[in-house]
Amino acid sequence: MRRLVVFMIAGMEACGEVPARPWSSVDWLLLLSVLSISACLRLIYIDPVLSFDEIWHLATTQGRGSLIGSFDLNVVYHDVDSMTSLAHPGPIWGIWHDMPGVLHPPLFLIAMRLWRDVMGDGDFAAHCFSITWSLVAIAFTFATARLAMNRWAALLCGTTLACAQTQCYFAQEVRAYSMLIGFGSIALWLMTRCELLGVTRRRLLILAFLTLPMLLTHYFTFGSAVAIGLYGLVRGGAHRRAFLLMIGGCAAFYAVAWIPFALAQIKDFQVGDCLLKIPQRDLTFTTLMLAGTPFRLIADRDYTMERLTACTGGLFILPWLLMSRMRTLFPWVLWLCLSVGVIFVLDIVRTTQHAAYVRYLAAATPAVPLLIVGTFWPIRRSFAYMAGVGMSFGGLMYLISRNPIHFDAQPFPDTASVLARHMQPGEALISYESSPARMWRAPLLIMVASHEPGLFPRTVAILSKPATPEILKELNCSSFWLLSSYDFSTQQVVPGARVLQSFPGDEEMHIDHLAIDSPSGEVATPDSPRDSSGSAGAAAPVR
């Protein structure tokens, strides 16, 4: 662990001049302690059940395109393999070129694919990728606070991120949020070096370049990229021209390399908006949610406490008043205001409620612990220490109590669990959905099932209309499983089929085990064991 941290800090120092205060053994010990605590907390509380968004990310890293659009409707596919395994992956550039239905840029998926190629394609390895980025963010936040204040303030800032309930959640998700927080912490570290050690061409060029990987990680880093641009314009001095050239070059590369693919994703935004649109603008709710962002990035709650948590909105105002007494507050509060302000404008203009989901505000994370301690630092250090201890302790209490944050992902655990327990080899899997607005859910259910060990390869079909005799014949099995909404009865979807078993699923879904007439005219029964071809034979559970 110490060698890893030494390499990390050596890389930090290579980006600029050596700080005025060299790292002592006490500094190293404190940083290693914070990173060790962080790693333990993130490994202990890992949720073994992946949401379909996380499984979707794993499936896209295969390099065979996004799952959306990969299946033709009302067509039977035989020997469909696991959609998340890298046993037979496609080319890595296939990730960049084929992302229909995915509303994110490709850098996280490409980085995750490289990580899985080296570390393995299991769920734990995927979790470790996000955890690693979370540790990077903590290390750079520690280094930033140490440079601007002292080692004890750095300890409090690092501990706040280490114990924060929301940050542990981001670190365990197989999604891009830890990665964008990591890039943000590097950017704030560079800004702080410029404030305290002077603006150099190298620091500004590296800072400008960071806008490219940030925007290729998530669209909602746009506000943070604007913060970098404004900072370079204000503080650039003699190096402002070089800074603008680098920003322009990154923007040109982004425009040529990614915007054509981003435009193809725009048509899918309406699908994402179906959960976020509200009938009319709610300025009060949006303002309260954004004012409570600093608190929610430490410990997210349901929204019965939004007026109480909104008191942390003072971090958007107080640092501007104290800037003359502590100049490093400028890049931190600029980062917070613009990262969150973009979401505020988006919600007001498009009548959406992105602010209700703290993950959309994740880019603001690196500035929060720095501002919590730094705002009180020029007033009285004892107040700064109390604020840091309070937020660290509060985040840890929420984490230990397992008080749930506002989850918005659909894991479909019951569906996958039922199929894993009861589905036999040789039985086909059909997903039915006739509503165009919910058609995206049908292939995702197949994908979630394919992630279960031992269930695939298997015959699958996605239906948008009742099954025809030709489709049932092509299934080539005497029994199969049907996933459908409660809006439809089994006889509407598969006329003449016999229900052998029924189970409740997730999100108004139900799971039916059906039998159809075999070529010999016999009908399968619940007690008829089947081998892989659907004929009588020894039956064994999948797992």
Side-chain angles (χ1 to χ4, degrees):
M1 172 67 77
R2 189 177 187 280
R3 289 184 178 181
L4 175 63
V5 176
V6 169
F7 176 79
M8 184 185 303
I9 300 299
M12 290 192 283
E13 302 302 343
C15 296
E17 299 173 4
V18 177
R21 292 174 296 175
W23 285 67
S24 67
S25 57
V26 176
D27 296 325
W28 286 111
L29 180 61
L30 292 177
L31 177 57
L32 286 172
S33 300
V34 171
L35 292 179
S36 299
I37 293 172
S38 305
C40 290
L41 290 175
R42 283 147 178 74
L43 291 171
I44 290 173
Y45 288 106
I46 287 181
D47 188 346
V49 179
L50 298 184
S51 69
F52 83 79
D53 283 307
E54 295 175 284
I55 296 176
W56 194 352
H57 278 68
L58 294 181
T60 308
T61 62
Q62 275 193 331
R64 300 185 182 278
S66 171
L67 188 66
I68 300 297
S70 59
F71 287 98
D72 291 329
L73 299 178
N74 308 304
V75 175
V76 176
Y77 292 86
H78 298 282
D79 297 322
V80 174
D81 209 341
S82 170
M83 301 175 193
T84 59
S85 171
L86 292 183
H88 305 288
I92 194 168
W93 59 83
I95 298 174
W96 185 293
H97 289 282
D98 195 2
M99 296 176 63
V102 180
L103 302 181
H104 302 292
L107 184 59
F108 173 77
L109 297 170
I110 292 173
M112 172 64 77
R113 165 63 181 275
L114 295 173
W115 176 275
R116 297 181 76 198
D117 284 340
V118 175
M119 306 300 293
D121 63 355
D123 291 354
F124 181 75
H127 283 299
C128 286
F129 181 69
S130 294
I131 291 174
T132 299
W133 273 106
S134 180
L135 298 182
V136 168
I138 292 170
F140 275 91
T141 301
F142 182 97
T144 302
R146 178 193 170 277
L147 182 62
M149 293 173 279
N150 63 22
R151 64 168 64 103
W152 306 114
L155 176 64
L156 289 174
C157 291
T159 305
T160 297
L161 287 185
C163 300
Q165 176 203 33
T166 308
Q167 299 308 311
C168 283
Y169 172 59
F170 288 151
Q172 294 163 350
E173 270 200 314
V174 186
R175 301 177 76 177
Y177 301 108
S178 279
M179 189 171 178
L180 67 90
I181 293 171
F183 283 131
S185 66
I186 298 172
L188 280 184
W189 176 78
L190 284 169
M191 291 181 184
T192 305
R193 290 179 66 84
C194 290
E195 289 290 308
L196 297 178
L197 304 178
V199 176
T200 66
R201 181 186 296 265
R202 177 165 49 181
R203 289 180 188 134
L204 279 182
L205 291 181
I206 296 173
L207 183 61
F209 176 77
L210 278 175
T211 58
L212 180 60
M214 285 170 53
L215 290 173
L216 285 174
T217 300
H218 203 285
Y219 293 122
F220 284 171
T221 57
F222 176 76
S224 303
V226 172
I228 291 176
L230 286 178
Y231 181 83
L233 288 175
V234 173
R235 298 291 201 233
H239 307 293
R240 188 177 292 114
R241 180 188 178 103
F243 176 82
L244 292 176
L245 287 175
M246 177 60 80
I247 285 280
C250 291
F253 179 86
Y254 186 83
V256 173
W258 178 245
I259 285 185
F261 301 97
L263 292 176
Q265 293 180 344
I266 289 179
K267 65 179 184 299
D268 297 313
F269 284 173
Q270 291 183 349
V271 177
D273 280 349
C274 67
L275 300 175
L276 298 169
K277 281 285 188 180
I278 53 179
Q280 60 184 4
R281 293 181 180 88
D282 191 340
L283 185 60
T284 301
F285 174 80
T286 302
T287 302
L288 287 173
M289 296 295 0
L290 294 177
T293 296
F295 182 94
R296 296 168 59 210
L297 287 171
I298 303 299
D300 196 20
R301 286 292 305 270
D302 57 24
Y303 304 126
T304 58
M305 293 180 62
E306 67 267 16
R307 296 185 182 276
L308 176 62
T309 59
C311 65
T312 58
L315 291 180
F316 292 90
I317 302 172
L318 289 177
W320 295 103
L321 305 177
L322 299 170
M323 206 170 297
S324 61
R325 302 175 63 179
M326 186 174 177
R327 62 181 299 169
T328 53
L329 290 175
F330 173 62
W332 302 347
V333 70
L334 182 68
W335 187 275
L336 178 66
C337 289
L338 289 178
S339 297
V340 174
V342 166
I343 307 301
F344 179 83
V345 172
L346 182 69
D347 279 351
I348 296 302
V349 171
R350 302 186 69 244
T351 62
T352 53
Q353 52 180 355
H354 291 87
Y357 301 96
V358 70
R359 60 189 175 91
Y360 292 130
L361 307 167
T365 295
V368 171
L370 296 170
L371 287 172
I372 289 172
V373 178
T375 299
F376 293 99
W377 194 258
I379 301 174
R380 189 168 181 175
R381 294 190 179 184
S382 59
F383 292 163
Y385 292 141
M386 290 171 59
V389 170
M391 292 301 288
S392 300
F393 182 77
L396 182 62
M397 289 301 98
Y398 275 105
L399 179 66
I400 293 175
S401 68
R402 306 301 292 152
N403 198 320
I405 75 170
H406 188 70
F407 295 101
D408 62 307
Q410 301 178 44
F412 297 122
D414 293 338
T415 300
S417 177
V418 166
L419 295 175
R421 290 197 308 268
H422 299 283
M423 202 171 188
Q424 298 295 317
E427 293 181 326
L429 181 62
I430 294 177
S431 183
Y432 174 78
E433 182 62 68
S434 65
S435 171
R438 295 186 298 185
M439 187 58 67
W440 57 270
R441 197 162 56 171
L444 292 180
L445 287 168
I446 300 291
M447 176 195 69
V448 170
S450 80
H451 189 63
E452 287 289 325
L455 275 181
F456 280 60
R458 190 170 296 277
T459 298
V460 303
I462 297 177
L463 304 183
S464 61
K465 59 183 181 181
T468 63
E470 291 76 18
I471 288 178
L472 296 178
K473 182 177 181 181
E474 193 173 353
L475 291 176
N476 194 30
C477 58
S478 57
S479 65
F480 59 92
W481 291 76
L482 174 67
L483 311 176
S484 61
S485 302
Y486 281 117
D487 301 343
F488 312 100
S489 68
T490 302
Q491 289 300 316
Q492 286 179 296
V493 181
V494 188
R498 307 266 182 108
V499 178
L500 305 180
Q501 293 173 291
S502 291
F503 303 90
D506 307 274
E507 296 293 328
E508 300 182 351
M509 301 289 295
H510 61 96
I511 309 165
D512 292 312
H513 188 196
L514 305 178
I516 55 177
D517 289 335
S518 64
S520 61
E522 300 175 352
V523 176
T525 65
D527 300 323
S528 300
R530 284 169 290 276
D531 59 17
S532 59
S533 64
S535 58
V542 174
R543 59 190 310 194

